[in-house]
């Protein structure tokens, strides 16, 4: 099963992707995580990406598409149970490139899921998020607190706040989403591939709806 998971910043893409990884052995492909890893390793892509991500802007399509293509080239053979694209595509140019990749590598997208949610809720989610530096699991100081403050429940790694979690960057990310990514929702809607899910529910209820959607696609 290959899934595209869409939604504005803080909608719960990473949270839900991790649940799908755990239950179904899917591979999570988060372009945001790949950019942050590249930045930590100071690769060429990481240096370019940091310039855009820290201001809440999208990394240029050609850089992003090349990174995803490389990722598929190197890892597709290991994705036995399929994959979840978390945060890719974010523009129509990227969606078209993904269609090209699907034809080239021989895979098919089974579901396009969009987590719908009010921007006001997103701000609270993002300001309270804590992310594990080691395994990437996300927590929330109110909605999903770790057992020990500052420590990941899963691997014991250190929890940190992302560089793009300050008020200004969050506002920019929401603006970017509305301008550049929202048109993609219409694109998938027009192609009759989109499933909208209410992302404002509890994590468990969102997950239930996602599973219902996937059941229907089998
Ligand atoms: P990326 O890392 O993808 O960030 P994002 O899209 O802004 O989304 P987030 O990761 O912030 O939110 P999420 O939806 O994963 O929510 P989460 O599950 O963590 O991208 C970062 C940057 O990289 C972009 O700004 C851009 O610059 C660049 N980039 C990435 N992809 C790109 C692309 N394709 N093209 C160009 N540039 C790209 O949840 C948030 C918090 O809420 C957590 O604390 C969680 O515990 C909590 N929470 C989750 N669900 C619930 C719930 N149901 N109820 C209560 N709390 C919840
Ligand atoms: Mg995420
Ligand atoms: Zn961890």
């Amino acid at each position: 099963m290959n899934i595209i998971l869409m939604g504005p910043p803080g909608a719960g893409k990473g949270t839900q992707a991790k649940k799908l990884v755990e239950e179904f052995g899917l591979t999570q492909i988060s372009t945001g995580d790949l950019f942050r890893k590249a930045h930590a390793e100071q690769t060429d892509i990481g240096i370019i990406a940091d310039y855009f991500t820290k201001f809440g802007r999208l990394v240029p399509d050609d850089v992003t598409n090349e990174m995803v293509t490389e990722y598929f080239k190197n890892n597709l053979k290991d994705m036995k149970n399929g994959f979840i694209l978390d945060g890719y595509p974010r523009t129509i140019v990227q969606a078209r490139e993904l269609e090209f990749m699907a034809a080239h590598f021989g895979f098919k997208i089974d579901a396009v899921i969009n987590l719908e949610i009010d921007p006001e809720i997103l701000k609270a989610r993002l300001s309270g998020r804590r992310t594990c530096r080691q395994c990437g699991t996300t927590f929330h100081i109110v909605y999903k607190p770790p057992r020990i403050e500052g420590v990941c429940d899963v691997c014991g790694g250190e929890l940190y706040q992302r560089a793009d979690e300050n008020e200004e960057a969050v506002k920019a990310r929401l603006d970017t989403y509305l301008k550049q990514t929202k048109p993609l929702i219409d694109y998938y809607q027009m192609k009759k591939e989109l499933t909208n899910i209410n992302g404002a529910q509890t994590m468990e209820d969102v997950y239930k709806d996602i599973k219902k959607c996937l059941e229907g696609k089998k």
Side-chain angles (χ1 to χ4, degrees):
M1 179 77 67
N2 300 324
I3 304 162
I4 296 176
L5 201 48
M6 296 177 63
K13 302 182 292 295
T15 302
Q16 299 299 329
K18 288 267 185 299
K19 283 177 177 285
L20 291 165
V21 168
E22 223 168 87
E23 185 169 348
F24 299 106
L26 303 179
T27 301
Q28 177 187 11
I29 308 170
S30 158
T31 38
D33 286 352
L34 291 175
F35 285 134
R36 282 183 288 278
K37 182 166 177 279
H39 172 59
E41 290 167 356
Q42 286 291 295
T43 64
D44 290 347
I45 284 188
I47 292 164
I48 298 170
D50 185 53
Y51 176 77
F52 296 93
T53 54
K54 73 176 165 215
F55 298 116
R57 295 169 58 199
L58 292 186
V59 178
D61 284 333
D62 53 348
V63 176
T64 307
N65 286 336
E66 198 185 315
M67 178 178 76
V68 175
T69 305
E70 268 304 298
Y71 192 87
F72 276 125
K73 201 169 94 191
N74 297 329
N75 299 289
L76 191 61
K77 60 180 186 318
D78 302 321
M79 301 181 198
K80 298 273 179 285
N81 298 321
F83 56 79
I84 311 150
L85 284 164
D86 159 2
Y88 181 92
R90 281 192 209 220
T91 63
I92 291 176
V93 172
Q94 292 181 13
R96 291 262 162 79
E97 189 66 21
L98 179 64
E99 284 157 19
F100 180 80
M101 285 178 220
H104 177 78
F105 292 115
F107 61 75
K108 157 173 162 288
I109 299 295
D110 302 290
V112 184
I113 294 174
N114 176 40
L115 302 177
E116 288 185 301
I117 187 162
D118 184 320
E120 279 313 306
I121 304 179
L122 299 175
K123 286 181 194 151
R125 284 199 185 172
L126 291 171
S127 59
R129 176 171 55 195
R130 301 292 182 270
T131 306
C132 174
R133 214 178 270 288
Q134 223 157 277
C135 75
T137 300
T138 50
F139 296 85
H140 191 283
I141 52 172
V142 178
Y143 309 126
K144 189 191 167 194
R147 279 194 297 270
I148 304 167
E149 198 188 316
V151 181
C152 174
D153 288 357
V154 180
C155 75
E158 181 205 354
L159 301 184
Y160 79 108
Q161 273 193 286
R162 270 166 43 180
D164 61 355
E165 257 154 1
N166 60 73
E167 202 176 314
E168 223 169 297
V170 166
K171 191 177 171 300
R173 280 159 64 198
L174 285 170
D175 285 350
T176 302
Y177 172 79
L178 291 175
K179 282 198 197 105
Q180 289 177 271
T181 307
K182 210 127 187 275
L184 198 55
I185 293 175
D186 303 332
Y187 177 79
Y188 283 120
Q189 200 123 42
M190 250 164 46
K191 292 179 71 180
K192 302 206 185 331
E193 289 174 8
L194 193 78
T195 303
N196 284 307
I197 286 178
N198 175 7
Q201 309 174 87
T202 63
M203 294 175 203
E204 291 70 27
D205 285 345
V206 175
Y207 191 55
K208 266 187 214 153
D209 282 357
I210 292 179
K211 286 215 291 191
K212 228 183 276 168
C213 159
L214 299 180
E215 277 296 317
K217 306 276 178 192
K218 268 186 193 163

